[in-house]
Amino acid sequence: MTTFATLDVSEQPDRVVVTLDRPAQRNAINAEMIGELHEVCARLEAEPRLLLLTGRGDHFAGGADIAELQARGRDDALAGINRNLFDRIGRLPLPTIAAVSGFALGGGAELAYACDIRIATSTVKFGNPEPGLGIMAAAGASYRLPQLVGTSVAKQVLLGGHVLDADAALRTGLVLEIVDPGTHMEAAHRLLDRIARSAPLALRLTKTIVDAPGTHPFADDIAQAVLFETDDKQDRMTAFLERKR
């Protein structure tokens, strides 16, 4: 197993648990972490498994590394350094879960937005203060956050500097569940256990269809046709009918 400098990665047969591991910097996302997360994505693309993302210590990720951002110029922005990673996480074949506590700000918030489902503690704070630093939230927040919470709330966060606390995150649907501090990983693993009981191909095709833009009834039909012909479908339905008998 690769040893990472900014991540703690635990690989299990059905899931990979990735902990952002720069607690002294509130797990700020720097270039090295971006590169290491790309390595994790490559593994999950080659061998699809569930992904659980969290942060070491009290916070998920307090943002991108400001010193690095200050040094970046136009060409760096056009390269979409953070956005390309977060988009790649969003495209991973199987479901991804973010277990979030404390600050999820700036790039940290955008990393959480890129996951399929979020579970948070009562200490959570989601926000995108980028305009206060003379930049914008350009790593996915402009198109992901409106889809997650609606355009009005997204503008309150992205333009008004509004921070979503635990109650607001739950009320707007940004998170599935709010749990006590220190219990978010347990809650996330319970969710992953439930997801892992489903058919992997059904999960993969469902995620692909849900994430596809627009309406796509024929794509739904084709995906269902593929699933109808699998041994997994026959075995699971047979077991279900036998339990009912």
Side-chain angles (χ1 to χ4, degrees):
M1 184 183 299
T2 303
T3 299
F4 294 104
T6 69
L7 306 175
D8 180 19
V9 178
S10 172
E11 299 195 45
Q12 301 175 28
D14 65 350
R15 71 196 64 175
V16 173
V17 180
V18 175
T19 303
L20 310 181
D21 198 8
R22 301 182 72 213
Q25 295 80 28
R26 293 177 174 170
N27 300 317
I29 300 169
N30 62 0
E32 188 172 22
M33 184 181 288
I34 292 288
E36 292 182 348
L37 285 169
H38 272 297
E39 290 187 46
V40 172
C41 287
R43 295 186 191 183
L44 292 172
E45 290 159 353
E47 184 184 347
R49 282 170 286 174
L50 305 172
L51 172 65
L52 172 54
L53 272 172
T54 193
R56 177 82 66 206
D58 295 330
H59 302 287
F60 180 72
D65 189 297
I66 302 301
E68 287 190 359
L69 281 181
Q70 186 179 34
R72 289 181 184 174
R74 177 185 57 196
D75 290 344
D76 297 307
L78 291 174
I81 296 170
N82 290 20
R83 179 192 57 76
N84 280 319
L85 170 68
F86 300 163
D87 285 353
R88 190 176 186 182
I89 289 172
R91 291 191 305 267
L92 286 173
L94 289 176
T96 57
I97 310 296
V100 185
S101 66
F103 293 151
L105 303 176
E110 291 180 296
L111 175 58
Y113 302 157
C115 292
D116 295 311
I117 303 173
R118 287 148 295 281
I119 288 174
T121 73
S122 56
T123 66
V124 75
K125 304 286 184 185
F126 290 99
N128 288 98
E130 285 91 340
L133 295 171
I135 59 174
M136 63 175 284
S142 66
Y143 47 92
R144 286 199 179 91
L145 192 56
Q147 292 177 342
L148 293 170
V149 301
T151 301
S152 178
V153 174
K155 286 183 176 180
Q156 293 170 37
V157 175
L158 299 174
L159 301 178
H162 183 59
V163 173
L164 299 177
D165 62 12
D167 290 340
L170 184 63
R171 186 175 65 252
T172 58
L174 182 58
V175 301
L176 168 68
E177 183 182 8
I178 296 295
V179 297
D180 291 333
T183 67
H184 53 308
M185 289 296 287
E186 180 183 351
H189 277 293
R190 283 198 302 270
L191 175 59
L192 286 173
D193 290 342
R194 185 162 69 248
I195 293 172
R197 290 194 288 271
S198 294
L201 184 59
L203 290 171
R204 184 168 184 172
L205 291 177
T206 299
K207 177 173 175 174
T208 299
I209 294 294
V210 169
D211 286 343
T215 58
H216 29 67
F218 290 111
D220 290 49
D221 292 346
I222 292 167
Q224 189 75 299
V226 170
L227 292 169
F228 272 13
E229 297 298 317
T230 61
D231 291 339
D232 204 1
K233 174 250 189 181
Q234 292 297 332
D235 293 344
R236 287 169 179 270
M237 290 193 176
T238 298
F240 175 83
L241 293 172
E242 290 177 348
R243 285 197 301 271
K244 288 193 68 175
R245 296 192 191 103

